[in-house]
Amino acid sequence: MSRFSINEFIKNTEQIDKGEGFFELETPRILEVNLEQMVWAKAGSMIAYNGKIKFEREGLLEHGIGTMFKKAFTGEGTSLMKATGQGKLYLADKGKKIIILHLQNEAIYVNGNDLLAFEPSIQHDIKLMRKIAGMMAGGLFNVRCEGTGLVAITSHYEPLTLRVSPGKPIITDPNATIAWSGNLTPEFQTDISFKTFLGRGSGESIQMRFEGDGFVIVQPFEEVYMQVQTT
């Protein structure tokens, strides 16, 4: 019965330094940040830490008046916190799988719900998807991350990356779309026939169409967003 002992459990689950640097996957669903100065993280994602770390919500005016208006419009969906100090910080988001990306003077758009953390060297800006603002609140914004550094994003289960090439557009469900390359700008379209088939408005009736040369990342899960009541 030793395999069920407390000592065996601790041995199998305890934190181990892997020496991977600033971001380290402690488990597929827990991100360790080896903090020396500062990191941006999704508000509410801290599950544990050691050392001396201070947490502060992103200020409304921190990135200018334009960002303040965007935040007022998008609400809490993409609220960020700034963690400063020294120590080990552990982040997670509803048990979702974590993917670490190293941007090298590149840009990527990430759905506001799926951005977990990024280095301070990465510039970020909230982008509104105005065309579906009246259809779904949770999925109408994304965050553009640009520069050189690490970005951690999340996915329900295993993600799939689809290549977008000229003449071969990719169409996705906004509720299942995690991220896409920074040079792509999705268009939104409504599948009237599918909407009629269902007999009511639904997530699938709204689609994102990606054209050009790049990639889009989707997850095998549809986030359920709050529906906006329009007048």
Side-chain angles (χ1 to χ4, degrees):
M1 299 293 288
S2 62
R3 64 193 178 102
F4 298 121
S5 69
I6 290 177
N7 286 340
E8 188 68 15
F9 174 78
I10 292 172
K11 177 183 175 182
N12 291 333
T13 60
E14 69 180 333
Q15 183 267 332
I16 299 174
D17 282 322
K18 301 174 184 176
E20 295 176 355
F22 186 61
F23 281 179
E24 184 175 301
L25 281 181
E26 196 59 41
T27 77
R29 292 169 175 79
I30 298 177
L31 178 70
E32 178 185 284
V33 182
N34 292 295
L35 192 62
E36 294 184 353
Q37 291 183 326
M38 192 267 274
V39 68
W40 287 106
K42 185 174 184 177
S45 63
M46 185 275 289
I47 60 170
Y49 71 91
N50 63 39
K52 294 184 177 180
I53 301 176
K54 177 184 177 183
F55 300 93
E56 183 180 4
R57 281 283 185 123
E58 181 179 25
L60 281 178
L61 293 174
E62 189 145 0
H63 297 282
I65 193 75
T67 298
M68 183 183 75
F69 284 119
K70 289 178 184 178
K71 281 187 170 295
F73 189 78
T74 58
E76 292 296 306
T78 189
S79 292
L80 296 170
M81 65 181 181
K82 187 163 45 174
T84 56
Q86 292 184 328
K88 290 185 182 296
L89 171 62
Y90 299 94
L91 305 175
D93 185 17
K94 300 176 182 176
K96 295 197 288 184
K97 185 178 178 66
I98 299 169
I99 303 104
I100 300 173
L101 302 173
H102 184 200
L103 302 189
Q104 300 181 59
N105 196 27
E106 297 166 299
I108 187 172
Y109 286 98
V110 184
N111 183 293
N113 291 316
D114 302 312
L115 182 61
L116 181 63
F118 54 92
E119 286 192 88
S121 58
I122 297 292
Q123 295 183 341
H124 69 285
D125 187 25
I126 298 171
K127 301 289 185 180
L128 298 181
M129 300 182 188
R130 300 179 189 278
K131 291 186 179 180
I132 59 169
M135 303 177 191
M136 51 192 343
L140 61 82
F141 62 91
N142 53 68
V143 182
R144 180 181 171 89
C145 296
E146 185 172 11
T148 297
L150 297 172
V151 177
I153 65 176
T154 59
S155 170
H156 286 281
Y157 311 108
E158 303 297 326
L160 174 68
T161 299
L162 301 169
R163 293 289 306 182
V164 181
S165 56
K168 295 182 178 180
I170 295 292
I171 293 88
T172 68
D173 182 339
N175 296 29
T177 306
I178 297 174
W180 57 94
S181 47
N183 61 311
L184 297 182
T185 302
E187 291 293 326
F188 292 90
Q189 62 186 35
T190 303
D191 189 328
I192 300 298
S193 60
F194 195 56
K195 186 174 182 179
T196 303
F197 170 74
L198 291 175
R200 65 184 188 281
S202 71
E204 285 82 359
S205 68
I206 309 162
Q207 300 168 346
M208 297 175 76
R209 182 184 180 91
F210 295 88
E211 292 194 69
D213 187 7
F215 64 87
V216 57
I217 306 172
V218 294
Q219 63 183 357
F221 184 94
E222 294 179 75
E223 295 270 9
V224 178
Y225 298 122
M226 176 183 68
Q227 297 294 312
V228 175
Q229 299 296 320
T230 56
T231 56

